[in-house]
Amino acid sequence: WEAPPGANLLVSLLFRRIPQYPHQLTQRVALAAADAAERLAGARPVLKWPNDLLLDGAKLAGVLAQAHSGTQPAVVVGIGINCGWAPEGGARLGDDVAPLALLAELLRCYDALPVDITETYRERLATLGTRVRVELPSGALIGDALSVEPSGELVIRDDEGARHTVTVGDVVH
């Protein structure tokens, strides 16, 4: 994620308390970012599985995570949110949204999330109920996005009616 200095929020968050499903940390950060964008900019971004925020169909933010399972297990969740600048084809919140103010609001929104975010995440996930193409190493999977498991896996029904559970992949709505 690249941006001119000071234009956008580019931050990594360290988590030492890891939930049963570590993927929920990226979901929680994405939900908090969406809530913060709404509070500060009046924007209502939606989530795209597994790790993007979209505003009017354009990418506003990306969320990535990396786990460390050594003597002190941890997960680092990184997020880049376009505030004052966006690449071509991307969305941004606007010049009046300061990155540090957005970070403070994101952290407040994170703390305000319920313990169980499964339904909240599903409600904000624009991927569900849509026709999708998932780019996988083995090829493309095309079908209808049905649900997201608590573990973060996307459930898709293909045109033959078979159900597939996808752990990772690039989704195109």
Side-chain angles (χ1 to χ4, degrees):
W1 202 267
E2 294 182 28
N8 295 340
L9 177 61
L10 310 172
V11 65
S12 295
L13 306 167
L14 173 66
F15 296 93
R16 294 219 183 264
R17 282 190 236 140
I18 303 166
Q20 177 184 1
Y21 301 114
H23 186 74
Q24 288 181 350
L25 291 171
T26 58
Q27 293 175 348
R28 293 180 78 80
V29 170
L31 286 167
D35 289 344
E38 186 171 4
R39 289 182 182 184
L40 289 184
R44 180 83 173 146
V46 296
L47 307 180
K48 182 184 123 189
W49 188 91
N51 59 354
D52 290 337
L53 278 77
L54 304 178
L55 185 59
D56 299 325
K59 187 170 180 174
L60 173 68
V63 184
L64 296 172
Q66 182 161 351
H68 173 68
S69 60
T71 57
Q72 289 188 319
V75 173
V76 175
V77 178
I79 186 166
I81 306 173
N82 298 333
C83 295
W85 178 87
E88 186 176 331
R92 67 188 188 98
L93 294 177
D95 294 329
D96 55 340
V97 177
L100 289 179
L102 182 60
L103 175 60
E105 190 62 32
L106 184 153
L107 294 173
R108 277 190 288 277
C109 291
Y110 185 94
D111 288 343
L113 287 169
V115 172
D116 184 357
I117 60 157
T118 303
E119 285 308 311
T120 304
Y121 180 74
R122 287 178 182 148
E123 289 168 7
R124 293 294 290 265
L125 191 61
T127 304
L128 297 183
T130 63
R131 185 103 173 128
V132 296
R133 183 179 78 242
V134 183
E135 299 294 337
L136 302 167
S138 59
L141 170 62
I142 299 172
D144 299 315
L146 302 178
S147 184
V148 172
E149 299 293 329
S151 61
E153 298 166 316
L154 181 64
V155 179
I156 298 173
R157 182 180 54 232
D158 68 20
D159 293 338
E160 287 76 42
R163 292 171 62 101
H164 303 266
T165 303
V166 179
T167 305
V168 295
D170 186 26
V171 172
V172 179
H173 288 180

